[in-house]
Amino acid sequence: MIQSKTLGSRLSRLLIMFTLILITFMSLAPIVNTIMVSISSSTAVNAGRVYFLPVELNFSSYAQILKDTKFWNAFLISVERVVLGGAINMILTILMAYPLSRSISQFRSRNTYMWIIVFTMLFSGGIVPWYMVISKLGLINSIWALVLPGAVPVFNVILLMNFFKGIPKELEEAAFIDGAGPIKILLNIFIPISMPSLATIMLFVIVGHWNNFFDGIILINDSSKIPLQTYLQRLSLTRDQMQNLSVEQLQQYNKISNTTLNSAKILVSMIPILLIYPFLQRYLIHGIVLGAVKE
Amino acid sequence: MAQAETTIPPKRELRSVKKKRKRFDEMTYHFMLLPGMVMLFIFSIVPMFGVIMAFQKFIPAKGIFGSKWAGLSNFTYMFQLPDAKQIFINTLVIAVGKIVLGLIVPIVFALLLNEVRLKVFKSSIQTIVYLPHFMSWVVLGTMLTMIFSFDGMINNFLELLGLERIMFLASNDWFRPLLIVTDTWKEFGYGTIVYLAALTAINPALYESAAMDGANRWKQTLHITLPGMFPTIILLGTLSLGNVLNAGFDQVFNLYNPLVYETGDIIDTFVYRMGLINMQYSFATAIGLMKSVISFVLIVISYKLASKYAGYRIF
């Protein structure tokens, strides 16, 4: 590329860099601030003196979390949910994406299935009937209520299906002539070739399960069985209780709530995501773009 | 030679072997789909029949078959309720705001990022700006409540600048802009991915010839980069049409409070409160059904447009 080295172009380049750094900083600012709040003293936090550096450094909130059995209980339930729900999601996604990636001449009923699946993605009976079905099945208060209703992530199925479709026909034909059946072709050709796509979907699935708070609110009544995000949600004031509070009372409430401790809890809840994110994120661009936009 | 010929079956037999094989393969496909379809049937298709409740005076103890029919009275009640109109407007305003800002910011950001030649710098910026997308609204809601509270960081800055403190989370003037801006903040990095991919597809020769003609970087952006992104912009724009009634339940639920119901309450949060807190099952289902039907129509239209004008098909 030919670039002029005039003063103007250098200046604009500098301006662009500066803008980008500013935007990036803004993306991180709330997180950095929360970290600093969690390791500052409560008095400094309540006085509004904590921005992007710790004030009166202390780690007592983390020490407090270590002893908090309710927090760790919720944490473990979330881990259980991710492992169990993630495994079910991945298996079902692969099992459904493969047959759906076949052409009609290979699999006559393909389009019928496809229409049903897309319809369930676009239309739903709403939250009340959904809740009733789950409660009629007796799933309320069990881990299965968090795992089974979302067992088929339809969007991911379509993503993977489009990726499978892009795999060269020749590979499959060679295996076919060698006498490999669908299961062998799936296990020995499609899955190994689709690792980047599968990594992307895995990231979606893990994050989805880890971040979901809402089904914990309505499907789990027993507070010893709620997942972590629901636990955190309950920490920050039950909103229905706020109905009768005045503005002054709301402010008062914010004062007495333990901001330092809650910040620390929120940060600990982010650790699992921050641990897997760097490993799976590099496949992201590949996975999303290839799966979403079909030529 | 003669021996080898006997092992090869005649043509007709080969065809029937192939046919058998195909039938066997198809059976395998059906079996592969079975577990997923059962799950979808139970948790997606069965609840669809629950929309019958919208036309009943549903009483849980009597069940769907025992409850009395109410015709369209749930719907007429909805249209008479003054709140309903407000909630519909709130949903539209918030969703459209998010769509517009959420379309513009990633485009601008992708253009800026495209000017950076240093690969390490570029990829580390990308990694950082994606991050908020992967955090839950519970976590972000708590953080944002802290930052935007009356004695929070933002208000401290405002005071430093000599401005007055603002009750962002309790003010009906500020709540909607806050929702729109924070949602864009969370998602713009992730939205950039598709545009950056579109940019890499632009032929570098175009830039070279433009530079020969004396076009500077600004002119190159205007006449090559932006037109190159145009198909992607059109595609994402049309597809977002289907989301006009999705103002984002998780975000609103984690940020709102009764003080801002007037401007912040959306269809989804209203249905949640009516249906699962106040236990007005039939009424909540009626509103939910209304939303589902309108959304469904909008999504179908947007996909039709996308496939017509941008050649996009999801399957």
Side-chain angles (χ1 to χ4, degrees):
Chain A
M1 197 169 298
I2 300 158
Q3 282 164 17
S4 53
K5 292 270 185 256
T6 59
L7 185 70
S9 83
R10 274 189 193 169
L11 214 67
S12 65
R13 184 147 301 203
L14 217 64
L15 197 72
I16 287 170
M17 288 285 228
F18 178 74
T19 317
L20 282 173
I21 291 172
L22 193 76
I23 295 174
T24 311
F25 174 75
M26 270 165 55
S27 285
L28 273 184
I31 304 165
V32 175
N33 180 250
T34 311
I35 296 174
M36 295 316 160
V37 166
S38 77
I39 56 173
S40 298
S41 76
S42 305
T43 44
V45 171
N46 286 336
R49 286 195 285 131
V50 182
Y51 296 99
F52 303 115
L53 283 171
V55 180
E56 295 162 31
L57 193 70
N58 93 56
F59 293 91
S60 62
S61 51
Y62 287 94
Q64 227 171 315
I65 290 180
L66 280 178
K67 288 180 287 185
D68 191 337
T69 51
K70 272 191 176 165
F71 177 84
W72 292 112
N73 185 39
F75 193 99
L76 280 180
I77 285 168
S78 273
V79 171
E80 187 187 351
R81 174 188 183 158
V82 166
V83 172
L84 194 65
I88 292 174
N89 281 168
M90 289 310 287
I91 292 169
L92 289 186
T93 303
I94 294 170
L95 277 181
M96 295 182 84
Y98 177 70
L100 293 174
S101 71
R102 311 292 76 199
S103 63
I104 299 186
S105 63
Q106 283 170 304
F107 184 30
R108 275 166 301 169
S109 324
R110 185 229 170 223
N111 279 5
T112 316
Y113 281 111
M114 207 61 219
W115 280 116
I116 297 174
I117 287 169
V118 170
F119 189 69
T120 61
M121 184 169 75
L122 300 185
F123 187 81
S124 84
I127 182 175
V128 178
W130 181 78
Y131 173 82
M132 284 179 169
V133 167
I134 295 167
S135 99
K136 272 272 182 308
L137 289 171
L139 296 178
I140 301 292
N141 274 337
S142 95
I143 184 93
W144 298 107
L146 307 177
V147 166
L148 291 182
V152 181
V154 177
F155 179 79
N156 294 346
V157 171
I158 293 174
L159 211 69
L160 188 64
M161 177 200 80
N162 279 336
F163 187 84
F164 279 169
K165 271 189 180 173
I167 293 174
K169 283 267 178 297
E170 290 76 13
L171 275 176
E172 197 192 329
E173 272 161 22
F176 185 82
I177 288 165
D178 283 345
I183 295 174
K184 257 206 170 119
I185 292 177
L186 174 64
L187 287 179
N188 296 338
I189 299 176
F190 277 56
I191 291 181
I193 259 184
S194 320
M195 276 309 169
S197 262
L198 290 173
T200 311
I201 290 173
M202 188 126 88
L203 180 66
F204 290 163
V205 163
I206 292 175
V207 170
H209 273 295
W210 186 261
N211 280 349
N212 201 333
F213 67 95
F214 184 64
D215 44 15
I217 290 180
I218 61 171
L219 302 176
I220 311 288
N221 307 319
D222 184 344
S223 66
S224 69
K225 286 174 181 162
I226 53 169
L228 187 59
Q229 299 289 333
T230 311
Y231 168 87
L232 292 173
Q233 220 276 336
R234 286 192 183 173
L235 278 188
S236 60
L237 191 58
T238 322
R239 282 165 212 276
D240 307 300
Q241 288 172 357
M242 269 160 64
Q243 208 126 14
N244 303 318
L245 298 185
S246 67
V247 177
E248 285 80 23
Q249 282 173 313
L250 277 174
Q251 281 174 29
Q252 206 55 37
Y253 180 87
N254 284 336
K255 280 256 162 62
I256 53 166
S257 72
N258 199 335
T259 317
T260 319
L261 183 62
N262 286 359
S263 303
K265 282 181 177 169
I266 274 180
L267 286 168
V268 175
S269 86
M270 279 167 59
I271 290 174
I273 298 285
L274 293 178
L275 285 181
I276 56 153
Y277 174 69
F279 295 103
L280 298 180
Q281 155 317 105
R282 58 201 171 104
Y283 298 112
L284 207 61
I285 300 164
H286 192 74
I288 293 173
V289 175
L290 270 181
V293 185
K294 222 182 85 203
E295 295 287 324
Chain B
M1 272 310 252
Q3 244 181 343
E5 249 166 58
T6 51
T7 56
I8 298 171
K11 233 182 186 174
R12 194 174 294 164
E13 218 172 288
L14 190 73
R15 203 174 289 159
S16 84
V17 168
K18 258 191 169 171
K19 225 177 200 173
K20 250 186 204 160
R21 173 85 188 270
K22 202 188 143 192
R23 211 170 294 152
F24 176 77
D25 282 3
E26 288 205 342
M27 280 314 287
T28 318
Y29 297 146
H30 284 296
F31 273 111
M32 283 176 159
L33 283 161
L34 187 67
M37 293 310 287
V38 169
M39 286 297 157
L40 278 182
F41 180 76
I42 297 174
F43 294 107
S44 295
I45 295 170
V46 173
M48 284 179 198
F49 294 105
V51 299
I52 293 170
M53 275 191 286
F55 307 96
Q56 288 182 330
K57 199 173 178 309
F58 181 75
I59 297 159
K62 290 185 178 169
I64 285 186
F65 300 105
S67 295
K68 275 201 186 112
W69 291 98
L72 294 174
S73 68
N74 287 317
F75 291 90
T76 48
Y77 176 54
M78 174 167 73
F79 287 113
Q80 282 159 4
L81 199 73
D83 290 1
K85 198 179 149 205
Q86 188 61 40
I87 283 152
F88 190 73
I89 292 171
N90 291 347
T91 309
L92 267 182
V93 171
I94 295 168
V96 170
K98 283 179 180 177
I99 289 171
V100 172
L101 204 63
L103 202 63
I104 296 171
V105 176
I107 295 170
V108 174
F109 190 71
L111 286 175
L112 286 175
L113 210 55
N114 192 43
E115 295 297 311
V116 176
R117 294 280 162 263
L118 204 61
K119 239 188 157 187
V120 189
F121 184 67
K122 196 169 165 178
S123 62
S124 30
I125 285 185
Q126 273 176 270
T127 308
I128 292 171
V129 295
Y130 297 162
L131 191 61
H133 170 83
F134 292 98
M135 299 194 294
S136 79
W137 271 115
V138 175
V139 165
L140 292 178
T142 314
M143 286 184 187
L144 294 173
T145 312
M146 237 161 64
I147 291 171
F148 282 96
S149 70
F150 194 68
D151 41 16
M153 188 163 64
I154 300 283
N155 272 317
N156 287 349
F157 281 134
L158 285 182
E159 199 172 43
L160 270 179
L161 294 172
L163 300 166
E164 255 181 63
R165 285 179 181 267
I166 299 166
M167 305 263 314
F168 287 103
L169 292 153
S171 146
N172 279 312
D173 295 331
W174 285 98
F175 192 66
R176 277 185 201 154
L178 183 83
L179 289 178
I180 294 168
V181 169
T182 54
D183 181 73
T184 308
W185 169 80
K186 182 180 192 274
E187 303 295 343
F188 82 91
Y190 192 73
T192 312
I193 296 177
V194 183
Y195 292 112
L196 284 177
L199 288 180
T200 53
I202 297 174
N203 189 353
L206 289 174
Y207 289 105
E208 277 166 35
S209 47
M212 293 287 209
D213 286 342
N216 59 20
R217 294 210 57 87
W218 171 242
K219 282 246 166 82
Q220 288 176 22
T221 305
L222 210 61
H223 296 290
I224 300 170
T225 317
L226 214 51
M229 287 165 87
F230 209 62
T232 314
I233 298 173
I234 293 287
L235 175 65
L236 294 185
T238 40
L239 288 181
S240 67
L241 181 69
N243 273 326
V244 186
L245 288 187
N246 278 323
F249 175 85
D250 284 12
Q251 184 196 18
V252 177
F253 187 75
N254 281 298
L255 285 173
Y256 82 160
N257 60 65
L259 295 174
V260 286
Y261 276 176
E262 194 189 323
T263 53
D265 202 13
I266 58 172
I267 298 175
D268 291 334
T269 49
F270 186 71
V271 169
Y272 165 75
R273 287 205 318 278
M274 282 298 133
L276 297 172
I277 305 288
N278 300 349
M279 289 186 260
Q280 299 200 35
Y281 297 117
S282 291
F283 183 50
T285 307
I287 303 172
L289 178 63
M290 194 78 171
K291 189 206 156 189
S292 283
V293 170
I294 298 175
S295 284
F296 181 75
V297 172
L298 286 173
I299 292 172
V300 171
I301 292 173
S302 71
Y303 275 111
K304 278 256 177 337
L305 288 176
S307 69
K308 194 172 173 193
Y309 294 107
Y312 175 86
R313 293 177 59 85
I314 56 163
F315 66 90

